[in-house]
Amino acid sequence: MKHSRFFAAVPAILITALIAGCASAKLEIPYEATDREIIQIAQTEYDAGRVSNALQGYNTLLSRYGNNVATYIEGRYEIAHIYLKQKNYSQAVPIYREILDIYDNAAMGMLPPSFLKLTRADWNKIPEAKRNEH
């Protein structure tokens, strides 16, 4: 009788261990990491399928280096791009609008043109009905 309870518990223990092993740990970003290093960490996390860690990385970038407008735009764009890939338009649309507004109000040549081009391209991938919901 004791053995049957033990063997009945083994699958539950294995499943719990498997789930715990797959859970993503909080991303640790060294305090001294540069903006470029944080972007690389976030991209690596995204490429590895750890989307929440990637978002955390980009949010860390914004909190540490967001006072630089170009870095702020890059971080916000990357966050919006992740949401777009997830078809999470309700999160992506306001960020893309913010980026477009920043470019609309900036002096010519003050911001990197690449993120304006990328933002416009992503914007056009969002169904028009979803753009107008927000």
Side-chain angles (χ1 to χ4, degrees):
M1 187 74 171
K2 287 182 182 178
H3 292 295
S4 65
R5 278 189 277 173
F6 171 76
F7 288 113
V10 169
I13 292 168
L14 290 175
I15 290 170
T16 302
L18 180 62
I19 291 170
C22 292
S24 105
K26 184 175 180 185
L27 181 64
E28 297 293 329
I29 298 176
Y31 181 75
E32 66 278 356
T34 66
D35 58 342
R36 296 285 106 203
E37 290 170 332
I38 295 172
I39 290 166
Q40 185 58 55
I41 290 168
Q43 288 174 344
T44 299
E45 290 297 307
Y46 184 80
D47 291 343
R50 295 183 290 268
V51 175
S52 62
N53 281 356
L55 290 169
Q56 180 188 341
Y58 289 120
N59 281 310
T60 299
L61 172 75
L62 295 173
S63 67
R64 293 186 191 175
Y65 297 100
N67 58 341
N68 176 306
V69 179
T71 303
Y72 179 82
I73 289 170
E74 184 171 1
R76 293 293 282 164
Y77 168 80
E78 294 295 346
I79 291 169
H81 190 69
I82 289 171
Y83 289 140
L84 176 67
K85 286 185 171 189
Q86 296 175 327
K87 296 186 186 322
N88 185 346
Y89 303 121
S90 64
Q91 294 289 327
V93 166
I95 298 171
Y96 285 129
R97 278 200 178 120
E98 176 191 20
I99 294 169
L100 293 170
D101 286 344
I102 291 170
Y103 275 96
D104 285 346
N105 293 305
M108 185 75 121
M110 293 301 294
L111 300 173
S114 58
F115 287 103
L116 176 57
K117 183 177 181 178
L118 290 168
T119 298
R120 286 180 176 159
D122 279 4
W123 182 258
N124 289 329
K125 294 176 185 174
I126 299 171
E128 191 169 342
K130 297 293 183 182
R131 285 187 243 159
N132 295 329
E133 285 179 5
H134 307 281

